[in-house]
Amino acid sequence: MKNYIVFLFQLMVWSGYTVAEWLSTHDKLLFKVLMFLVFTYLAVFIGKIILKSNKRTLLITCISLGSYMVLQSWMHSYLPPAS
């Protein structure tokens, strides 16, 4: 059950990253990479606090990030662009 809770919290973190990335459309690539690293750290930190296991935290973080990437690519390819 804890794995599922961490997964959902991390999806919320990745959703927050999407909003922050959307708001920073004119930023340089370096700042976007730094922002991604900050959000990744936040996701790992949340997982570490709840799960108390480095291995499970890394696994759940990779799964949630992969799910986020699949959902984002699906949305970009199948949903019409906002105008």
Side-chain angles (χ1 to χ4, degrees):
M1 187 67 177
K2 287 183 180 181
N3 293 341
Y4 182 65
I5 291 171
V6 170
F7 179 78
L8 290 178
F9 275 130
Q10 288 183 348
L11 281 182
M12 285 188 250
V13 168
W14 301 130
S15 297
Y17 170 73
T18 301
V19 171
E21 187 183 29
W22 175 67
L23 291 172
S24 65
T25 55
H26 300 294
D27 286 350
K28 294 181 181 179
L29 180 62
L30 173 67
F31 298 116
K32 289 185 179 187
V33 170
L34 289 174
M35 182 176 59
F36 176 76
L37 292 175
V38 167
F39 276 88
T40 302
Y41 174 76
L42 181 62
V44 169
F45 182 75
I46 289 171
K48 181 87 168 128
I49 291 295
I50 296 173
L51 294 176
K52 296 176 179 44
S53 167
N54 289 337
K55 187 177 175 182
R56 285 183 17 196
T57 298
L58 183 62
L59 179 67
I60 298 299
T61 303
C62 289
I63 290 171
S64 69
L65 183 58
S67 300
Y68 164 76
M69 291 170 64
V70 167
L71 283 170
Q72 284 291 78
S73 65
W74 180 81
M75 286 181 164
H76 283 292
S77 61
Y78 290 113
L79 294 178
S83 52

